[in-house]
Amino acid sequence: AAHSRLGLSRLAQGDKAGGISELETAARLDVDDSKSDMLLIVTQLKNGNARGAQDAITALEKKRPNDPVTHNLRGTALLAAKDVPGARKSFEHALEIQADYFPAAANLARLDLGDKRLPDAEGRYERILAKSPGHAEALMALAGLKATERKDTAAAVKLLDKAIEANPKLPAPRILVRRLYLASNQFDKAVKVSGDAAVVFPDDANVLETLALAQSAAGSHDDAAT
């Protein structure tokens, strides 16, 4: 833990080499946990050192060989190194370990979209929803594809309504619904869904801003200012 904190301190001071060296020492000493490994991997990726990140992931793999996080990180590092086939393989391995691991599915969906394979991208999220129908992230991601790629606002709203129903304490789906209504000039609906969200989340700054933007778009500027 001391080496890890010292590494972060040196990185904050601009000493990349010294900071990474301390994180490497922390990761090597910390055989029971992986926090230091994660810090090292993220630092290497932020510094654009894909090779260093892969070396750190190899060390992490020895500690956590059957963790989808490890293989998702490997895929991210391989993408940084421009190895798209290798990245796909790592993301798919992550899903083999945990079929509903969303980050790997989302990464694969982005690669599918890059290859103009929209049905494949949708299928990534649909398979998660087949196992977990109320999975908020998968519902929101699939709604995004319906809205942006299929131009099907109604289908997107339906998916977000499911996300709201299954996750009543999560404000994000309500905010996304408002954005869809505003984008399609359905201002009254945007105000209603935003107002409902503000009742449930009266102290959430993002929700209040969402309501204000909807009211302003609908012409209720005084309400928006309030």
Side-chain angles (χ1 to χ4, degrees):
H3 283 289
S4 183
R5 288 194 295 270
L6 180 57
L8 291 175
S9 176
R10 287 184 169 172
L11 287 170
Q13 294 170 6
D15 181 5
K16 291 183 180 180
I20 289 173
S21 177
E22 290 296 339
L23 290 177
E24 287 173 340
T25 299
R28 186 174 66 254
L29 292 172
D30 197 358
V31 296
D32 297 321
D33 201 353
S34 58
K35 292 179 182 177
S36 299
D37 299 82
M38 295 293 189
L39 285 171
L40 176 59
I41 293 165
V42 171
T43 299
Q44 295 284 34
L45 288 173
K46 283 184 176 180
N47 288 338
N49 187 354
R51 181 68 263 170
Q54 290 182 50
D55 290 342
I57 292 166
T58 298
L60 176 61
E61 245 174 344
K62 295 176 182 177
K63 297 180 183 179
R64 301 169 64 172
N66 297 315
D67 190 331
V69 175
T70 303
H71 299 286
N72 189 60
L73 285 169
R74 172 78 72 189
T76 303
L78 289 169
L79 273 185
K82 311 299 183 184
D83 182 359
V84 175
R88 273 191 177 278
K89 186 176 180 180
S90 290
F91 294 141
E92 287 166 356
H93 192 182
L95 289 177
E96 288 171 4
I97 295 171
Q98 183 180 325
D100 61 350
Y101 183 63
F102 178 80
N107 282 325
L108 283 167
R110 281 190 282 271
L111 291 177
D112 291 336
L113 284 177
D115 292 338
K116 310 298 184 184
R117 292 156 50 188
L118 177 57
D120 289 345
E122 291 173 327
R124 305 288 181 185
Y125 303 127
E126 288 166 351
R127 282 190 285 278
I128 291 178
L129 293 172
K131 292 178 65 68
S132 306
H135 195 292
E137 291 175 303
L139 285 166
M140 289 188 289
L142 185 57
L145 291 181
K146 298 296 185 186
T148 59
E149 303 296 330
R150 298 289 188 188
K151 310 301 180 185
D152 190 344
T153 300
V157 169
K158 187 176 180 180
L159 287 165
L160 292 173
D161 284 341
K162 286 183 180 179
I164 293 169
E165 182 180 357
N167 306 273
K169 295 184 179 180
L170 189 65
R174 301 172 191 264
I175 293 173
L176 290 177
V177 170
R178 187 273 302 174
R179 289 178 182 171
L180 287 177
Y181 283 141
L182 284 184
S184 57
N185 296 324
Q186 299 181 67
F187 302 128
D188 291 341
K189 289 183 178 180
V191 170
K192 183 181 184 309
V193 72
S194 301
D196 291 345
V199 171
V200 180
F201 306 101
D203 299 318
D204 189 302
N206 289 326
V207 169
L208 293 175
E209 183 183 37
T210 291
L211 175 57
L213 291 170
Q215 290 170 330
S216 181
S220 301
H221 302 301
D222 289 341
D223 290 339
T226 300

